[in-house]
């Protein structure tokens, strides 16, 4: 008995998803190809689905097979010519274009008004709160009279036009910097808190561009509408300061590189990936010129013969803490550059991936308590004949994330550089098995999700039952597996074993996502490279569901794939509330599920430009 089945997820959580329940492709097994029909003979249903129709009446073969109503619009098909149809379509498109032009002009006018308000010169002698409130309009309900701590800072933020000053008032400055430092673990930024506050008001303060980059991230993470409306102001300000300070004799090059990397990270969080890529295209080569990718010890070495033979653009670090900051800044740029390249569908920076010998970052607590420099290791330790344990020293959460990122970078470079001819050679399969062994070894030695909950990087009440970093690293590693197997494409006749491996890893990642969603935990605490892995996982599940459907395979396999696909679409929807990239990828998955082409899903679409 033949039944009609679809790859649509078995359950959806929104009305929007349910609208597509009946728009799915059906199995094409046994379908006969009819000769070309007379124009207008296809039924309305087949025409709307762009399906081949044999034109039989009162019900055509596709509608009979799929048990749906079949109607023929005789008057429409016989009274209109193709020219008339095209003219009507032109009229519809012209009307839509006019609407879009009106919307674009309105958005542009609103954006111009906001920029003008942000750049108005400060009115001397006034201390009115109208400056900030005018940016928010009627949506701001700020009680400046409340004596509470939160309302107190809100009152300061709403007073005057402090953002136009060279530096904000100390109360606001301290508030912004505290927000940035608290969230520093999310963007891997190194801040030795005591040294930073000591330097802030000293004779040699941090570079103004770095401070403004920190203000920018504070506005992003604050969740305060009084600060969120200043993000564009600080983006422009940081860019201007970076351009003016580069090359100045008094500029700290380390601070400049740090500020540029923070700006690139912010742009990636806001979905402005091409801008972030452009920013990193200047930062990473400059770091490599400064030899920040070749720091082979976590402590200052007394032997400087190598430095004299090949001098660096940076002055020697004053102490081990400053050297540790440089190591962390480099790995932050390494991680961000790799992530943005993958999102944009571009291969990683080959020189950065293959030439990096900088040791893994250490926490400042390790520097304070002391450690054995002989335990330093770098990327090469992961790719030898006997890969080291992921928790071999240094074993901080930051170092663990960088190890996972380095493995993903090597695998991505290998997978994206393979050609169809090379993928059939013995050398290819040898290297593929080597990478499979390396990633498997790293994955198998990771601790469980409940690892050491007393050292959580995120404070939640009640405490989270899973460790966010361990969860992120596990999910990212499963994404690395999928990236590795994508190197061979989808030729199932040749690569059936690799296909089954890839599907197994995708289902492992789906199980992790299901656990995370069931706990109702906030997605914003996951690292971006974790959530980036969700789209290729969803793509693998959707492709497998379509394959099972087309072959009329096991019904249990299809139902499992439907449930997994529903989970991954829910995860992408949650991530899309924070990062525009995932909302865009969710739309691609939906389009594919509802009959979209294989080529559109298997190739990387252009990254959408965000709207403001």
């Amino acid at each position: 008995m033949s039944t009609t089945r679809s790859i649509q997820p078995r359950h959806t959580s929104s009305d929007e998803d349910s609208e597509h329940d009946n728009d799915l492709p059906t199995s094409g097994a046994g379908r006969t190809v009819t000769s070309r029909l007379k124009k207008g003979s296809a039924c309305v249903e087949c025409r709307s689905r762009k399906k081949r129709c044999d034109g039989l009446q009162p019900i055509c073969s596709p509608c009979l097979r799929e048990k749906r109503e079949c109607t023929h619009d005789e008057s429409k098909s016989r009274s209109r010519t193709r020219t008339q149809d095209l003219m009507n379509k032109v009229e519809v498109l012209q009307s839509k274009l006019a609407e879009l032009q009106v919307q674009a002009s309105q958005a542009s006018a609103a954006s111009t008004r906001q920029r003008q308000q942000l750049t108005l010169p400060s009115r001397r002698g006034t201390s009115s709160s109208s400056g900030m409130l005018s940016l928010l309009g009627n949506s701001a309900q700020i009680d400046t009279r409340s004596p509470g701590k939160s309302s107190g800072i809100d009152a300061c933020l709403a007073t005057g036009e402090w953002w136009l000053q060279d530096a904000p008032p100390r109360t606001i400055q301290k508030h912004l910097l505290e927000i940035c430092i608290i969230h520093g673990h999310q963007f891997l930024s190194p801040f030795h808190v005591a040294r930073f506050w000591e330097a802030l008001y000293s004779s040699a303060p941090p570079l103004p561009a770095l401070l403004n980059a920190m203000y920018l991230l504070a506005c992003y993470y604050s969740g305060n509408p009084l600060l969120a409306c200043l993000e564009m102001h600080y983006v422009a300000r940081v860019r201007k300061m970076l351009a003016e300070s580069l090359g100045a004799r008094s500029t700290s090059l380390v601070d400049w590189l740090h500020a540029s990397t923070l700006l690139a990270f912010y742009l990636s969080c806001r979905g402005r990936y091409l801008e972030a890529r452009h920013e990193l295209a200047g930062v990473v080569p400059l770091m490599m010129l400064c030899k920040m990718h070749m720091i082979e010890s976590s402590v200052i070495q007394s032997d400087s013969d190598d430095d004299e033979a090949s001098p660096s653009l940076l002055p020697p670090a004053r102490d081990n803490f400053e050297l540790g900051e440089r190591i962390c800044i480099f790995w932050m740029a390494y991680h961000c550059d790799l992530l943005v390249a993958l999102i944009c569908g571009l291969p990683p920076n080959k020189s950065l991936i293959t030439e990096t010998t900088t040791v893994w970052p250490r926490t400042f607590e390790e520097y304070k308590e002391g450690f054995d420099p002989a335990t330093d290791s770098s990327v090469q330790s992961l790719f030898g004949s006997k890969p080291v344990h992921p928790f071999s020293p240094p074993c901080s959460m930051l170092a663990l994330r960088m190890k996972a990122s380095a493995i993903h970078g090597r695998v991505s470079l290998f997978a994206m550089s393979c050609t169809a001819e090379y993928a059939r050679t013995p050398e290819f399969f040898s290297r593929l098995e080597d990478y499979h062994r390396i990633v498997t070894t790293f994955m198998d030695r990771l601790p469980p999700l409940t690892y050491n909950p007393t050292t959580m990087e995120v404070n939640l009440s009640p405490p989270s039952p899973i460790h966010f970093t361990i969860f992120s690293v596990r999910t990212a590693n499963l994404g690395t597996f999928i990236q590795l197997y994508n190197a061979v494409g989808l030729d199932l006749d040749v690569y059936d074993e690799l296909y089954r491996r890839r599907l197994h890893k995708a289902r492992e990642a789906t199980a992790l996502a299901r656990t995370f969603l069931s706990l109702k935990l906030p997605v914003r605490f996951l690292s971006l490279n974790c959530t980036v892995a969700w789209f290729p996982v969803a793509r693998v599940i959707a492709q497998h569901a379509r394959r099972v459907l087309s072959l009329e395979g096991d019904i249990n396999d299809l139902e499992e794939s439907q449930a997994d696909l529903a989970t991954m679409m829910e995860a992408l929807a949650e991530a899309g509330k924070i990062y525009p990239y995932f909302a865009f990828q969710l739309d691609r998955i939906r389009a594919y599920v509802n009959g979209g082409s294989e080529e559109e899903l298997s190739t990387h679409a252009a990254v959408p430009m965000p709207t403001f």
Side-chain angles (χ1 to χ4, degrees):
M1 177 177 178
S2 177
T3 59
T4 301
R5 298 180 293 174
S6 74
I7 65 172
Q8 183 74 10
R10 289 180 61 82
H11 62 276
T12 55
S13 57
S14 66
D15 293 336
E16 179 183 356
D17 292 340
S18 64
E19 293 175 3
H20 304 289
D21 285 346
N22 298 322
D23 296 334
L24 304 175
T26 58
S27 171
R31 181 178 298 173
T32 59
V33 180
T34 61
S35 60
R36 181 177 295 275
L37 296 176
K38 181 180 178 181
K39 185 174 68 174
S41 299
C43 71
V44 175
E45 286 72 19
C46 290
R47 189 184 302 117
S48 63
R49 289 171 169 78
K50 297 184 179 180
K51 301 293 185 181
R52 188 182 297 276
C53 180
D54 55 14
L56 296 179
Q57 296 189 24
I59 180 170
C60 67
S61 297
C63 291
L64 178 62
R65 182 170 56 252
E66 299 183 16
K67 299 179 181 180
R68 63 172 181 243
E69 182 181 2
C70 182
T71 58
H72 291 76
D73 192 349
E74 300 292 341
S75 60
K76 179 178 178 180
S77 62
R78 285 169 170 70
S79 61
R80 290 171 126 189
T81 64
R82 178 172 177 80
T83 302
Q84 290 173 330
D85 288 337
L86 291 175
M87 291 179 65
N88 289 335
K89 289 181 180 179
V90 169
E91 292 178 0
V92 172
L93 291 175
Q94 286 178 339
S95 63
K96 289 184 178 180
L97 178 61
E99 292 177 3
L100 291 174
Q101 288 174 339
V102 171
Q103 294 175 4
S105 62
Q106 292 174 348
S108 177
S111 177
T112 301
R113 287 194 299 270
Q114 185 180 25
R115 288 195 298 269
Q116 289 174 345
Q117 288 174 324
L118 283 171
T119 56
L120 283 174
S122 178
R123 295 183 290 276
R124 302 286 183 181
T126 63
S127 59
S128 170
S129 64
S130 61
M132 175 64 75
L133 296 180
S134 66
L135 298 178
L136 299 172
N138 297 330
S139 63
Q141 301 293 333
I142 305 300
D143 184 5
T144 59
R145 297 168 295 177
S146 177
K149 182 177 179 180
S150 177
S151 59
I153 191 63
D154 283 345
C156 294
L157 293 174
T159 302
E161 296 176 334
W162 54 266
W163 62 89
L164 297 177
Q165 302 174 14
D166 292 338
R170 285 204 174 187
T171 301
I172 296 177
Q173 183 185 49
K174 183 174 182 292
H175 177 68
L176 295 176
L177 295 177
E178 284 177 345
I179 293 174
C180 183
I181 292 173
I182 288 172
H183 290 85
H185 69 276
Q186 294 187 336
F187 47 90
L188 316 175
S189 190
F191 291 110
H192 188 288
V193 179
R195 288 164 62 99
F196 177 80
W197 289 116
E198 181 182 352
L200 182 61
Y201 303 115
S202 68
S203 58
L207 190 70
L210 175 59
L211 292 176
N212 279 268
M214 295 174 69
Y215 303 154
L216 170 63
L217 286 170
C219 292
Y220 172 72
Y221 282 111
S222 68
N224 189 334
L226 291 171
L227 294 175
C229 65
L230 294 177
E231 290 180 28
M232 294 302 297
H233 167 72
Y234 276 111
V235 168
R237 192 166 192 171
V238 171
R239 282 175 165 163
K240 180 180 179 182
M241 288 182 170
L242 289 172
E244 292 176 347
S245 59
L246 183 61
R249 183 168 298 181
S250 59
T251 296
S252 166
L253 190 53
V254 174
D255 282 358
W256 191 95
L257 293 169
H258 194 178
S260 296
T261 307
L262 291 181
L263 175 59
F265 177 83
Y266 166 81
L267 293 171
S268 65
C269 288
R270 279 300 186 193
R272 302 164 66 174
Y273 306 112
L274 298 180
E275 293 179 74
R277 180 69 171 172
H278 176 77
E279 195 72 33
L280 290 164
V283 174
V284 171
L286 184 55
M287 281 189 173
M288 298 183 73
L289 283 175
C290 295
K291 296 188 176 181
M292 293 180 70
H293 67 305
M294 300 172 63
I295 304 176
E296 299 182 357
S297 176
S298 297
V299 297
I300 296 177
Q301 301 295 312
S302 57
D303 186 5
S304 59
D305 293 341
D306 293 339
D307 294 337
E308 293 176 358
S310 181
S312 170
L313 296 178
L314 296 178
R318 293 172 296 176
D319 53 32
N320 290 336
F321 285 103
E322 185 172 314
L323 181 62
E325 289 178 351
R326 295 184 182 184
I327 294 172
C328 288
I329 291 171
F330 167 77
W331 280 111
M332 177 174 61
Y334 179 104
H335 179 77
C336 192
D337 184 73
L338 173 63
L339 194 62
V340 172
L342 295 177
I343 290 176
C344 293
L346 301 172
N349 186 319
K350 183 176 181 179
S351 298
L352 181 67
I353 297 297
T354 59
E355 297 177 14
T356 292
T357 58
T358 295
V359 296
W360 303 120
R362 294 182 180 269
T363 63
F364 292 116
E365 287 75 13
E366 290 180 272
Y367 280 100
K368 184 178 179 180
E369 297 172 0
F371 58 88
D372 182 5
T375 60
D376 280 339
S377 60
S378 185
V379 178
Q380 288 72 20
S381 64
L382 299 173
F383 297 95
S385 57
K386 295 182 179 180
V388 299
H389 195 285
F391 268 175
S392 61
C395 54
S396 66
M397 292 295 104
L398 174 59
L400 186 66
R401 291 170 65 181
M402 294 303 98
K403 292 174 183 179
S405 183
I407 292 176
H408 194 93
R410 286 285 184 94
V411 169
S412 298
L413 187 63
F414 165 73
M416 300 180 78
S417 61
C418 288
T419 62
E421 294 76 14
Y422 179 69
R424 296 179 180 273
T425 63
E427 180 186 357
F428 166 81
F429 283 99
S430 175
R431 292 186 62 189
L432 186 138
E433 288 300 328
D434 285 343
Y435 282 123
H436 175 83
R437 174 181 53 83
I438 291 167
V439 183
T440 300
T441 301
F442 188 88
M443 185 78 175
D444 290 346
R445 294 178 179 179
L446 287 175
L449 295 181
T450 55
Y451 170 77
N452 199 6
T454 60
T455 60
M456 302 292 280
E457 294 177 317
V458 179
N459 294 320
L460 294 177
S461 181
S464 169
I466 66 173
H467 198 289
F468 283 98
T469 298
I470 299 300
F471 179 90
S472 296
V473 170
R474 278 188 172 276
T475 303
N477 262 330
L478 291 170
T480 302
F481 274 115
I482 293 174
Q483 181 77 5
L484 176 62
Y485 303 143
N486 283 344
V488 301
L490 289 173
D491 190 346
L492 304 181
D493 295 332
V494 181
Y495 307 115
D496 181 67
E497 172 62 25
L498 298 180
Y499 178 89
R500 286 188 284 107
R501 284 188 192 178
R502 188 181 70 163
L503 178 62
H504 176 69
K505 297 302 180 183
R507 284 181 167 162
E508 281 189 43
T510 302
L512 284 177
R514 187 177 294 115
T515 299
F516 186 85
L517 294 171
S518 67
L519 296 172
K520 306 295 184 183
L521 295 173
V523 177
R524 68 179 182 275
F525 291 133
L526 294 177
S527 64
L528 190 56
N529 62 326
C530 164
T531 47
V532 164
W534 282 348
F535 170 67
V537 170
R539 181 174 58 188
V540 169
I541 298 296
Q543 288 172 332
H544 179 69
R546 176 173 285 190
R547 176 173 179 257
V548 174
L549 180 67
S550 64
L551 299 176
E552 296 189 352
D554 183 14
I555 186 65
N556 294 326
D557 191 2
L558 180 61
E559 290 178 349
E560 182 181 2
S561 298
Q562 289 174 329
D564 289 344
L565 186 56
T567 297
M568 295 315 304
M569 292 177 71
E570 182 182 354
L572 288 171
E574 288 298 316
K577 297 176 182 178
I578 304 174
Y579 303 110
Y581 169 78
F582 301 104
F584 168 68
Q585 300 294 23
L586 178 59
D587 289 340
R588 293 180 64 194
I589 291 291
R590 282 176 174 160
Y592 177 79
V593 166
N594 291 299
S597 65
E598 184 77 37
E599 292 75 15
E600 180 182 357
L601 187 61
S602 60
T603 57
H604 205 290
V607 176
M609 295 300 293
T611 57
F612 299 96

